Amino acid sequence: MKIIRTDKELELPLVDRELVAKGHELVLLPEGISEDLLLEEVRDCDLLLMCYTPVSKKVIEASTKLKAIIKYGVGIDAIDITAANNKGVVVVNVPEYAEETVAEGAFAMLLALTKKIPSIHHQMSDSSWVWPTQRWLGKDVSGKTLGIIGCGKIGTSMARMAGMGFNAQVIGYDPYKSRDELAIKGITKVNSLNTLLEGSDFISLHAVLTNETHHILGKKELAKVKKTAFIINTARGALIDEEELLQALEKGQVAGAALDVFSREPLNQEFHPLKKLYTMENVLLFPHLSFYTEEAMLRLEMETLDRCQEVFENRPILIKTKDPRLQQQSHLNTVYKSDQLL
């Protein structure tokens, strides 16, 4: 088969080695490849592996042999799933590989922000020592309230770390989870987003990006946040109206933010609309790498190879997510669903 893997900058040595060893033609394409160039490569492609590169209707409709699109990661917003399904192409992701990993990353960012670790480190590098003045005064997590927006596996893992590990109170906003479901996870359910925003010292986003959750934190919502609160986002950049968050940070309406994801990636200090974030001492920036650990990447590569093997053997492809956009593909008769869905 001809197999294309986009976003070659995200190294998958095991996947690449195994595909070549099985005798397949593997074409590696860079992040940022144009739609026209991708279209030409996909035209005679059997299997497409992608992570960040958009896969448009135009690209999909140009394909003549494409059997499946495998997202080696979680989010599927960059794929025109309807166009793929209309073409008889199955779309599948790898949703489980980094649940604990991303929760650890989010909590690490929370701790780094509250303890001012990056700023103090830079000051130590510049001045060799830091005296205990008000500028460097941190905050405890213990006794504070953490608000979780989106209480799936990553959100509930974050709640466990904060509640059981650091004695924080945890509240959660998730219209699709019952009070009892969240209580079992140590989370007190709130019925409105405003209640969560007004009552939280730390706000961590873990929702899936949909039409409903796009800019779930906008100007009106940010106005409800405590001026002493920190916001952590390791889910999707577009969950927040980032321009409004930038203004809120500049005006002191929000105490700080730790951001691993952005609507427009990569971030840069020259012309990106969020470049001012680089100058803010109360902002911690991470380059969409909260998922990136040895253990998580091994799980990702193994799962990706499993999905590839199903395509090679013309077997139904395993769908392991509850996302309805992928669940609805059962009509293609080329997928089967796990008994342990997310």
Side-chain angles (χ1 to χ4, degrees), residues 143-340:
K144 300 294 196 309
T145 298
L146 169 65
I148 304 286
I149 300 176
C151 300
K153 290 191 175 181
I154 297 174
T156 54
S157 291
M158 176 77 163
R160 186 193 70 243
M161 294 171 193
M164 296 182 66
F166 282 76
N167 196 35
Q169 302 296 315
V170 184
I171 59 178
Y173 174 72
D174 191 323
Y176 303 100
K177 301 288 184 181
S178 70
R179 187 172 300 276
D180 290 343
E181 283 180 283
L182 295 188
I184 292 171
K185 301 294 185 178
I187 302 172
T188 300
K189 179 180 173 70
V190 296
N191 292 321
S192 76
L193 180 59
N194 284 345
T195 300
L196 181 140
L197 300 177
E198 292 168 354
S200 298
D201 300 296
F202 316 117
I203 298 164
S204 192
L205 291 96
H206 300 284
V208 175
L209 181 60
T210 64
N211 289 335
E212 291 179 332
T213 60
H214 183 266
H215 286 185
I216 193 170
L217 291 190
K219 183 175 183 178
K220 292 180 180 179
E221 291 77 21
L222 290 168
K224 301 286 185 180
V225 175
K226 293 181 181 181
K227 290 185 177 181
T228 55
F230 293 144
I231 295 173
I232 302 95
N233 189 10
T234 55
R236 288 292 179 267
L239 292 173
I240 303 176
D241 185 331
E242 295 157 309
E243 294 286 349
E244 292 296 339
L245 176 61
L246 179 59
Q247 290 187 36
L249 288 164
E250 288 181 312
K251 295 175 181 177
Q253 293 176 344
V254 176
L259 306 172
D260 179 46
V261 288
F262 310 90
S263 297
R264 176 178 165 185
E265 296 179 356
L267 207 61
N268 67 71
Q269 298 186 49
E270 296 177 4
F271 52 81
H272 196 285
L274 301 178
K275 64 183 181 180
K276 287 184 180 179
L277 291 174
Y278 283 101
T279 66
M280 297 181 176
E281 197 171 83
N282 59 338
V283 173
L284 173 60
L285 301 176
F286 215 61
H288 203 153
L289 285 182
S290 61
F291 70 93
Y292 199 60
T293 66
E294 293 178 7
E295 296 83 359
M297 289 305 294
L298 178 58
R299 291 190 291 269
L300 176 63
E301 293 206 73
M302 295 301 293
E303 286 259 356
T304 300
L305 285 171
D306 286 344
R307 303 290 80 77
C308 289
Q309 192 62 31
E310 290 159 359
V311 175
F312 301 154
E313 297 177 2
N314 199 29
R315 293 190 283 121
I317 300 175
L318 177 60
I319 301 293
K320 299 179 75 173
T321 177
K322 281 184 177 178
D323 192 311
R325 292 171 292 178
L326 299 190
Q327 283 281 298
Q328 67 188 5
Q329 296 179 111
S330 57
H331 72 279
L332 296 174
N333 297 318
T334 51
V335 303
Y336 69 97
K337 304 173 185 178
S338 170
D339 291 332
Q340 297 181 340

